[in-house]
Amino acid sequence: MPPIKIRKRTETGGVRSFVIRATAILAALVVTAAFIALLGKNPIDVYASMVTGALGNPHRLRETIIRAVPLVVTSLGIAIAFKMKFWNIGADGQIIMGAFGASYFALNCPNLPQPLLLLVMAAAGMVAGGLWAFIPAFFKARFGTNETLFTLMMNYVAQKWVTYLQYGPWKDPKAIGFPKIPNFVDNAILPKVFGVHIGWIIALILVAVVHVFMKRTKRGYEIAVVGESVDTARYAGMNVRGIILSALFASGALCGLAGMIQASAVSNTLAVDISGGAGYTAIITTWLAQLSAPAIVIVSFLFAVLVQGGSYIQTAFQIPQAAAQILQGMILFFVLGSEFFVNYRVAFGRTVAPSESEVPEEFKVPAAYDEPASPEAVKTTKGGSRG
Amino acid sequence: MTSSDVIRFDRISKTFGSVAANRAISLAVKAGEIHALLGENGSGKTTLVNMLSGIYSPDSGDIFVYGKREYFHSPRDAIRLGIGMIHQHFKLVAPMTALENIIIGQNGSLFIGKKGVSVKIRELSARFGLEVDPDKRIDDMSIGEKQTVEILKVLYRGARVLILDEPTAVLTPQEIVRLFSILRRMKDEGCTIILITHKLHEVMDVADRITVLRRGEKIGTLEKTETSIGELTDMMVGRAVSLEIERSDVAERKPIFETRGLSVRGRDSLRAISDLSFTLSSGEILGVAGIAGSGQRELCESIMGLLPIEKGEILFRGENLAGRKTAEIIKRGISMGFVPEDRLGMGLVAKMGMVDNLILKDYRFQPGFFIDRSPARARAKKMIEDLEIQTPGINTPVKQLSGGNIQKVLLGRELGSDPEILITAYPVRGLDINSSYTIFNLLNAQKEKGKAVLFIGEDLDVLLELCDRILVLSGGIAKGILDARTATKEELGLMMLGRTEKEASPIAAH
Ligand SMILES: Nc1ncnc2c1ncn2[C@@H]1O[C@H](COP(=O)(O)OP(=O)(O)OP(=O)(O)O)[C@@H](O)[C@H]1O
Ligand SMILES: [Mg+2]
């Protein structure tokens, strides 16, 4: 048997990685088609009705867009953190806390005029989501804690917190014992434009804003430099800690805003499942979009089509929900698996040319971002002796 | 082809995108010779030898080893054929000992008794004059020691052909002497050596034959005995170049920078600099000499606010900078270009292009939230011309440039900011001759403009020719400041090893 050789690539050509990813999606479709055929359905029909189910008429298209909005906004937030190689997987918790912040004002100040109330809710959602991301960022910058675990844990804390509110202090007295938080008043609900809540316009504006922020602003540049090399950032005189903290606040604030939009426009209340898993799905859409804001719109929309089409075929073909989710699972499996082929080259035996040179460890981020001059050091210097 | 050819490249070509790194290069390396590979930065030397470790594969052309056509897919293929490679950047596992590094990656290494290995290592060390403590951790080793481990590693694996890519770029003069004596020993034992270097006197010292590359093409192969440094330079550059550093005298000098009793602890929290005091004047180049690790890096980093200062003052125009933030120090017009051993470690963002790297230190002085990159684009284009930087484009990630070109980008940026004080450490590490002299001239121009330059160097000849005064560091302690016009290499060398100025001076020696 020829030996198998695996080598890291240096040149990851845009075209080639696109081809690899497209092939992965195709493979997922083929495997799932086999599975659908096993269930006794015609895969082509099922796929076709997934598309019509998601885009077939204006109503369905609107539903799909409603699903895409939280994905877009959350992905933008995650992209900011990922650009810095800060693996924020706590978007779900940040969405929940954003929704909580917004709900606080929706429930307690129902008499404010609608524009003012919505603005206050948005601000509260962003602050709450931002703080939820700030906490793990602070611990990472200060003590070098692992942000992946930390942000993940924060998701569960957020969930439990809302559960507590739902069963305790915020329980709707009118729901006759049913544990549910009251619905918002009309003032607290986002208006619609072309039949879809205004969140889609907000999302598109944010895409432009985040794109310009990352490509054209100083802070966007600093985030990119810190993501590449903390040492270099310090050498250039950047305040590494400040950059990490503020970028993570912005990241969480966007996720929090997604939570506000969902609470206000979609559920009209606060609930534990407010995010609908968007916080996790958005990690994947962000990654597939290669952290590019415009690409996030496209990828998120395609994912929304998948989800919406998936729930449509449940009713149309009597396929159990679990089966519909298999396609999503497959796509994720293949696409994430294909990342390996984007970054590595596998050669069999000696007929295939080996790859180009190795690259330095890409995701190497030192544990703690210690600022150089500690306060004690400064003190000693001031009183320092003369040589 | 003769039967004595160990390795023969036959019309090897390799292009990266739009860059032709190797163009139909044919080259034969004879058994038992030291074959030097010369060429300007980016001329394709690294690319060519990397074909032997499977890192790159030729677009066209063949490689013959002992007359047989061979294909290289991984370093293992090279090892199988007895070819050992010492890369421009070392590839040792830092937290392990020398011994562990030597045996990892070996088939069945799990069951090799350490004792047996130790014996073999000792035997090899004795035979080739390699001094290594097998139980020392790589972390605790100097660059020279690490390199010795690399060499031992490939010898242990049975290499009979050794390829060294710029092994001397980061070595001290003493270490270079030691390395060359090892290479000669190996040659006497029948090994074949390919050596890449930019230092011509080294080539004249150890090489038997010399091949010169220029812009990816082979210009010629010469016998050392039949050529001269002058001819080699002309062949490399393609025109006659002068190798003179003109030391000008700037009449008006004012002290503008001073350290007083500076003490600094390094990253390992050991004292790296003790009670260091010196002044730096406008219109002068103050050299800093010292064997590697004598506190040079800590000196640079503490001036730039990257390391906390334990004691002492750093005065710039009368103001104490100790304890200030890096950004404030940059703003006052103090600029540092430190070229670390791995060249990319500090100062450049490997994945970004020239433009984004040029704005690294001054983007913050632009007004408002946004960055205007158009001035930087213009600067990048000008810099490519002025410093003859070879790159496919101003936005090509700098990590794709050759070692020397990467460095020109770094230095070009520091010089371009026209600082009041320019601190430059090892600026010509790995630069070809022509570029080195370009850099020296730029430093001189800076001095003539009335700016101050702190030049941390390793080549004593250059320090003596370029600088006005030389501060000698030994173990973080200043051993004295010499006038570069009257000092000798011997004096410097003795002081670097710890003698004081008095003890080292030729008069006091009697
Ligand atoms: N992986 C790569 N991707 C793209 N271009 C590359 C790559 N490696 C080398 N090059 C280009 O090929 C040319 C030759 O590079 P090489 O590293 O062989 O030069 P060199 O002679 O070793 O130079 P130096 O003395 O500066 O190390 C350079 O112009 C470089 O930009
Ligand atoms: Mg090279």
Side-chain angles (χ1 to χ4, degrees):
Chain A
M1 202 197 97
I4 301 172
K5 310 192 171 183
I6 297 166
R7 203 76 45 67
K8 191 138 195 183
R9 295 175 190 269
T10 33
E11 293 155 295
T12 30
V15 178
R16 220 178 36 86
S17 23
F18 177 79
V19 170
I20 290 178
R21 292 198 180 99
T23 314
I25 291 177
L26 202 69
L29 289 174
V30 170
V31 172
T32 314
F35 181 74
I36 295 172
L38 269 182
L39 290 177
K41 317 277 178 197
N42 180 343
I44 311 264
D45 288 350
V46 173
Y47 284 152
S49 52
M50 274 185 80
V51 176
T52 50
L55 311 168
N57 63 38
H59 168 72
R60 291 175 188 163
L61 179 62
R62 283 198 290 270
E63 286 301 311
T64 306
I65 293 176
I66 288 172
R67 286 192 193 263
V69 168
L71 284 182
V72 171
V73 178
T74 310
S75 302
L76 292 174
I78 293 177
I80 294 178
F82 277 19
K83 188 78 189 171
M84 223 162 46
K85 305 230 162 85
F86 186 107
W87 309 116
N88 173 18
I89 58 171
D92 222 58
Q94 290 145 26
I95 294 175
I96 294 175
M97 291 315 279
F100 157 73
S103 302
Y104 179 85
F105 288 95
L107 297 173
N108 289 310
C109 318
N111 299 323
L112 286 177
Q114 190 186 25
L116 182 63
L117 179 57
L118 288 174
L119 281 178
V120 170
M121 284 167 65
M126 293 179 77
V127 170
L131 285 177
W132 213 242
F134 186 88
I135 297 168
F138 174 80
F139 278 88
K140 164 113 182 177
R142 195 87 190 82
F143 305 110
T145 53
N146 178 316
E147 78 271 20
T148 320
L149 286 176
F150 206 134
T151 50
L152 184 65
M153 293 306 159
M154 295 290 281
N155 288 346
Y156 301 121
V157 177
Q159 275 176 17
K160 297 298 170 219
W161 168 240
V162 173
T163 311
Y164 162 72
L165 291 176
Q166 188 178 332
Y167 281 86
W170 285 16
K171 189 163 140 185
D172 187 356
K174 290 198 225 75
I176 354 168
F178 187 69
K180 169 185 181 313
I181 292 169
N183 277 356
F184 294 174
V185 294
D186 288 350
N187 273 356
I189 294 175
L190 286 169
K192 291 184 173 173
V193 180
F194 299 129
V196 180
H197 68 77
I198 201 166
W200 69 273
I201 298 182
I202 299 175
L204 289 181
I205 293 174
L206 286 175
V207 168
V209 169
V210 170
H211 187 64
V212 171
F213 173 74
M214 297 303 282
K215 298 276 175 201
R216 296 265 171 272
T217 65
K218 293 180 181 174
R219 194 32 66 97
Y221 173 72
E222 288 171 334
I223 288 173
V225 174
V226 170
E228 287 303 327
S229 161
V230 172
D231 272 346
T232 305
R234 284 191 42 206
Y235 162 89
M238 292 182 188
N239 174 359
V240 174
R241 249 184 226 169
I243 294 166
I244 294 183
L245 293 178
S246 62
L248 256 290
F249 185 84
S251 171
L254 283 169
C255 300
L257 184 61
M260 176 270 175
I261 294 173
Q262 289 311 94
S264 163
V266 179
S267 348
N268 303 344
T269 184
L270 176 63
V272 181
D273 58 358
I274 192 91
S275 75
Y280 295 104
T281 313
I283 295 173
I284 292 144
T285 48
T286 311
W287 192 251
L288 292 181
Q290 298 284 294
L291 317 189
S292 144
I296 280 174
V297 182
I298 298 165
V299 175
S300 299
F301 185 75
L302 291 178
F303 254 76
V305 169
L306 194 65
V307 175
Q308 185 65 17
S311 61
Y312 176 76
I313 56 167
Q314 277 171 43
T315 42
F317 287 82
Q318 317 296 295
I319 295 179
Q321 182 174 14
Q325 284 174 348
I326 284 188
L327 178 55
Q328 283 176 49
M330 278 297 159
I331 292 193
L332 293 188
F333 176 80
F334 276 95
V335 169
L336 295 182
S338 76
E339 294 299 313
F340 177 80
F341 293 95
V342 173
N343 291 315
Y344 294 86
R345 162 176 289 202
V346 180
F348 296 92
R350 44 182 48 205
T351 39
V352 186
S355 85
E356 318 305 349
S357 86
E358 294 115 277
V359 263
E361 266 278 86
E362 277 187 50
F363 301 131
K364 215 160 57 183
V365 184
Y369 300 88
D370 272 328
E371 294 297 329
S374 60
E376 304 84 55
V378 177
K379 233 181 281 153
T380 22
T381 310
K382 278 186 187 135
S385 66
R386 313 211 139 199
Chain B
M1 191 190 98
T2 60
S3 55
S4 66
D5 290 347
V6 175
I7 296 175
R8 190 163 65 86
F9 296 95
D10 187 28
R11 283 164 292 150
I12 296 284
S13 295
K14 176 79 187 174
T15 52
F16 296 104
S18 59
V19 181
N22 286 166
R23 304 179 212 217
I25 294 183
S26 297
L27 169 64
V29 181
K30 289 186 197 160
E33 74 169 341
I34 298 184
H35 196 116
L37 213 47
L38 275 180
E40 294 194 278
N41 295 124
S43 56
K45 307 177 294 293
T46 300
T47 307
L48 185 68
V49 294
N50 275 347
M51 309 257 177
L52 294 176
S53 56
I55 290 176
Y56 300 131
S57 54
D59 294 341
S60 66
D62 300 308
I63 300 170
F64 297 86
V65 180
Y66 300 115
K68 190 165 161 282
R69 187 172 164 182
E70 298 283 355
Y71 301 88
F72 295 84
H73 297 295
S74 76
R76 269 170 196 275
D77 291 328
I79 292 165
R80 182 172 51 83
L81 294 164
I83 300 172
M85 182 90 132
I86 313 288
H87 289 276
Q88 214 160 343
H89 315 299
F90 301 142
K91 297 196 158 81
L92 295 173
V93 185
M96 293 193 179
T97 64
L99 181 88
E100 285 162 342
N101 263 287
I102 289 168
I103 59 181
I104 48 167
Q106 292 276 84
N107 285 334
S109 63
L110 268 178
F111 306 107
I112 286 183
K114 282 198 176 174
K115 240 200 196 126
V117 179
S118 272
V119 170
K120 191 167 168 195
I121 289 179
R122 261 178 249 290
E123 189 251 321
L124 279 171
S125 308
R127 192 156 106 217
F128 295 107
L130 300 155
E131 289 159 32
V132 180
D133 172 1
D135 298 320
K136 194 164 175 183
R137 278 160 51 106
I138 303 294
D139 281 338
D140 303 329
M141 290 190 177
S142 71
I143 294 289
E145 286 175 301
K146 285 184 195 167
Q147 195 172 58
T148 317
V149 175
E150 286 272 14
I151 295 175
L152 195 53
K153 188 165 115 185
V154 297
L155 289 177
Y156 179 83
R157 291 175 185 190
R160 300 290 296 160
V161 180
L162 195 66
I163 301 169
L164 302 112
D165 192 353
E166 291 192 42
T168 58
V170 293
L171 294 186
T172 61
Q174 293 85 345
E175 288 171 327
I176 292 174
V177 171
R178 202 176 316 137
L179 173 70
F180 285 178
S181 82
I182 295 170
L183 296 187
R184 288 200 187 89
R185 283 277 270 282
M186 293 182 61
K187 185 177 128 180
D188 294 342
E189 296 272 335
C191 293
T192 308
I193 291 158
I194 301 180
L195 174 74
I196 298 179
T197 175
H198 288 294
K199 301 181 189 167
L200 292 175
H201 58 92
E202 292 179 354
V203 171
M204 298 311 278
D205 187 3
V206 289
D208 298 307
R209 291 197 307 151
I210 301 152
T211 294
V212 179
L213 303 184
R214 190 200 310 154
R215 292 182 192 275
E217 279 173 275
K218 178 175 138 171
I219 302 300
T221 299
L222 305 162
E223 294 287 335
K224 193 240 330 252
T225 46
E226 289 163 16
T227 185
S228 64
I229 287 189
E231 187 188 11
L232 290 173
T233 326
D234 296 352
M235 276 174 82
M236 271 164 52
V237 184
R239 60 188 143 82
V241 285
S242 97
L243 298 181
E244 294 287 310
I245 308 178
E246 276 180 44
R247 176 165 39 207
S248 49
D249 275 304
V250 177
E252 211 172 306
R253 280 194 193 163
K254 279 199 308 273
I256 57 168
F257 180 90
E258 186 179 357
T259 68
R260 285 189 196 160
L262 186 66
S263 294
V264 177
R265 284 182 193 278
R267 298 203 184 281
D268 48 11
S269 71
L270 294 175
R271 209 20 122 56
I273 294 181
S274 306
D275 199 21
L276 177 66
S277 304
F278 68 89
T279 55
L280 176 61
S281 301
S282 61
E284 98 165 325
I285 300 181
L286 174 64
V288 177
I291 55 179
S294 301
Q296 295 97 325
R297 186 179 192 129
E298 288 80 6
L299 175 62
C300 295
E301 293 193 350
S302 58
I303 295 176
M304 292 312 291
L306 291 164
L307 268 185
I309 287 158
E310 195 184 7
K311 256 198 336 238
E313 295 179 336
I314 297 177
L315 299 169
F316 174 58
R317 297 192 196 286
E319 178 194 13
N320 190 0
L321 295 182
R324 292 216 180 264
K325 289 217 162 68
T326 307
E328 296 176 63
I329 295 168
I330 294 176
K331 198 167 175 184
R332 281 173 177 69
I334 301 180
S335 150
M336 172 179 87
F338 188 99
V339 177
E341 282 94 30
D342 61 2
R343 292 187 182 169
L344 262 177
M346 191 163 42
L348 290 178
V349 187
K351 274 202 192 157
M352 292 185 175
M354 266 182 85
V355 175
D356 275 8
N357 271 299
L358 286 189
I359 59 177
L360 187 67
K361 284 165 90 175
D362 56 11
Y363 75 95
R364 84 181 79 240
F365 304 127
Q366 294 192 9
F369 288 111
F370 294 96
I371 295 181
D372 179 7
R373 286 181 170 79
S374 47
R377 266 183 225 117
R379 258 195 292 158
K381 287 187 189 132
K382 188 164 179 302
M383 205 154 116
I384 289 174
E385 269 179 31
D386 292 351
L387 301 183
E388 298 174 23
I389 296 173
Q390 283 175 36
T391 167
I394 54 175
N395 288 315
T396 309
V398 292
K399 73 162 185 219
Q400 288 185 10
L401 310 190
S402 81
N405 282 307
I406 291 175
Q407 222 161 302
K408 290 189 197 171
V409 174
L410 177 64
L411 274 164
R413 180 184 71 204
E414 301 306 322
L415 285 165
S417 66
D418 198 19
E420 287 303 309
I421 295 180
L422 175 67
I423 303 168
T424 168
Y426 316 117
V428 298
R429 253 183 191 170
L431 281 193
D432 62 48
I433 304 216
N434 198 26
S435 312
S436 300
Y437 281 83
T438 311
I439 298 297
F440 298 145
N441 289 336
L442 287 169
L443 293 179
N444 261 326
Q446 197 69 11
K447 160 179 154 184
E448 278 156 31
K449 269 196 280 181
K451 304 295 164 72
V453 178
L454 188 66
F455 176 90
I456 291 144
E458 32 198 1
D459 185 329
L460 297 184
D461 292 307
V462 168
L463 278 164
L464 288 169
E465 271 185 71
L466 177 71
C467 301
D468 296 292
R469 294 183 302 147
I470 301 172
L471 165 72
V472 186
L473 282 180
S474 168
I477 296 167
K479 290 294 165 188
I481 299 185
L482 302 178
D483 183 343
R485 286 171 183 76
T486 54
T488 63
K489 248 166 107 169
E490 289 67 35
E491 261 180 288
L492 280 178
L494 285 173
M495 285 169 70
M496 280 163 60
L497 293 175
R499 309 282 173 83
T500 59
E501 196 173 338
K502 269 224 191 80
E503 290 164 359
S505 100
I507 307 141
H510 291 280

